[in-house]
Amino acid sequence: VLGATQAEFLFESENENFNVEQLIAEMAESTGTCGGDVVCECGNEVIEDYVMTSDLECMDGTYLSIIQEGTLFDCDGYTISSNNIALITTEQNTIIKNCIISSDVMGIVASESYNEFVDNTLTSSTFIALYAEGNYQYISNNQFRGNSIGLELVGDNSDINGNIFLNNYEKG
């Protein structure tokens, strides 16, 4: 769906096989890299472990993208707000934890295996709060509240435990 906004692409894709690679390819270009001591801003690619130090509001269609395998992204209780997708990981063995994510379309999109999503709160997504594609995902102690779909998991052998699903109006 070239030329469509991301929201249009997502909703048109709802009844088809969701194609995360196509979605990522159509998203905005990176505005730089961050991680370690370099503060992450909307549109950045995260290339090393990072702990947030303040809330982040991405209301211009940009998002954060974890592009380094084995990266720890710790929101430390801070919020990422987005009018599109808040956070994408395209690598294996990433850990996303302690995030409060409020997104108009999708909260977190993961396109590889062996990732961990721990102690996050995902709210207000009109499509999917957490979309995880790949095997061996670890999804623990998260809250999915007020989303269309709380969790969409495509893959095998994942460990899903201790999560809370509240008021997700289509499915958990």
Side-chain angles (χ1 to χ4, degrees):
V1 184
L2 297 175
T5 67
Q6 279 67 42
E8 289 169 340
F9 171 76
L10 292 172
F11 288 112
E12 287 175 11
S13 299
E14 194 169 5
N15 296 320
E16 303 170 12
N17 290 331
F18 181 69
N19 185 327
V20 74
E21 287 79 17
Q22 181 180 354
L23 172 67
I24 292 168
E26 291 181 7
M27 296 297 287
E29 298 221 3
S30 168
T31 59
T33 60
C34 68
D37 294 331
V38 177
V39 174
C40 288
E41 298 177 0
C42 300
N44 284 170
E45 294 179 331
V46 183
I47 59 171
E48 61 183 289
D49 293 353
Y50 183 69
V51 178
M52 287 179 59
T53 57
S54 64
D55 292 339
L56 187 60
E57 190 171 299
C58 302
M59 295 301 171
D60 59 356
T62 59
Y63 59 95
L64 289 173
S65 179
I66 299 172
I67 63 164
Q68 180 62 47
E69 183 174 337
T71 300
L72 166 65
F73 189 87
D74 185 348
C75 290
D76 199 28
Y78 290 103
T79 299
I80 300 174
S81 301
S82 172
N83 66 345
N84 197 344
I85 295 172
L87 187 59
I88 293 176
T89 178
T90 58
E91 297 298 326
Q92 294 186 33
N93 300 312
T94 59
I95 300 171
I96 298 171
K97 68 179 197 172
N98 301 319
C99 297
I100 300 168
I101 295 181
S102 178
S103 176
D104 290 347
V105 179
M106 295 178 80
I108 300 173
V109 176
S111 64
E112 290 293 333
S113 301
Y114 301 101
N115 294 303
E116 295 184 27
F117 308 95
V118 182
D119 297 323
N120 299 296
T121 300
L122 296 105
T123 65
S124 305
S125 294
T126 56
F127 190 49
I128 303 171
L130 172 57
Y131 177 86
E133 183 176 286
N135 300 321
Y136 304 103
Q137 308 287 0
Y138 179 73
I139 302 168
S140 179
N141 299 322
N142 299 286
Q143 293 185 33
F144 300 89
R145 299 182 311 192
N147 304 291
S148 177
I149 299 170
L151 172 63
E152 183 81 21
L153 183 61
V154 179
D156 297 316
N157 301 313
S158 292
D159 185 358
I160 303 169
N161 65 73
N163 298 288
I164 298 171
F165 297 86
L166 291 171
N167 301 320
N168 298 297
Y169 52 91
E170 282 191 41
K171 59 183 177 179

